[in-house]
Amino acid sequence: MVALGVITLFLTGFTLVYYAYMANHTEHDVSFFLSVGIISMVMNLCTNAGGVFGLAWLYLIIALAFIGVGFAVSVPETIGFYTSIGPWFKKTFTDTKLIGWQILSMAIFPAGIALYFVWLRSKPELAKKCGQCGIWGLVLWGLLLWMILGLVL
């Protein structure tokens, strides 16, 4: 059941990214799906922290239903989202000039945020990437800490 709780956590995160893409690329209002996704993410983390893994089935059903409803919202944009994943990975992980700084900034998020302010005027592109990765690192470290402490305690 613990594995199901972790899987639904990642699947709920995927649906949040999916509907954020839909909000930016369609004229449809998907704020309901985003808000329910955020609530589901927090409730899933709290459920995992409380050790009540039986509710993980509910979060799994919600996440799968929302992924299916995304096709009803806009089929072309849903297909566009899934086809954009491959090029995003290729662009992100083949840029050898920035990949080391991005990994450093995400793994050690205070360094990424500090590098943003240090290089803001002299290297604006690198500063922006380091700042973005630093913020994402902060969010990921927070979620991982919450998830790990919730499963252990």
Side-chain angles (χ1 to χ4, degrees):
M1 289 305 269
V2 174
L4 182 63
V6 173
I7 290 169
T8 57
L9 187 66
F10 285 109
L11 194 58
T12 304
F14 175 79
T15 58
L16 285 172
V17 171
Y18 171 62
Y19 278 106
Y21 177 89
M22 295 289 279
N24 288 329
H25 290 87
T26 65
E27 297 297 320
H28 301 287
D29 182 22
V30 292
S31 60
F32 170 76
F33 300 110
L34 283 170
S35 61
V36 171
I38 291 170
I39 292 168
S40 180
M41 175 72 84
V42 171
M43 288 176 59
N44 195 351
L45 284 165
C46 291
T47 300
N48 289 348
V52 186
F53 298 109
L55 289 175
W57 290 103
L58 174 67
Y59 306 128
L60 179 67
I61 291 168
I62 290 171
L64 291 175
F66 277 14
I67 290 172
V69 169
F71 283 98
V73 171
S74 175
V75 172
E77 292 304 325
T78 299
I79 293 171
F81 170 74
Y82 287 114
T83 57
S84 71
I85 293 173
W88 177 82
F89 269 106
K90 184 178 179 184
K91 182 184 85 170
T92 301
F93 295 111
T94 59
D95 189 2
T96 56
K97 296 183 298 185
L98 299 177
I99 191 71
W101 292 110
Q102 289 174 329
I103 292 171
L104 172 75
S105 298
M106 188 169 286
I108 307 170
F109 65 88
I113 295 170
L115 287 173
Y116 171 76
F117 290 109
V118 169
W119 289 333
L120 185 59
R121 296 194 192 271
S122 61
K123 302 175 186 176
E125 178 186 344
L126 184 57
K128 181 180 174 187
K129 290 290 184 185
C130 287
Q132 286 175 344
C133 288
I135 296 298
W136 279 111
L138 175 67
V139 170
L140 289 175
W141 273 106
L143 287 174
L144 283 173
L145 185 66
W146 192 353
M147 184 175 65
I148 291 169
L149 288 178
L151 293 175
V152 173
L153 299 178

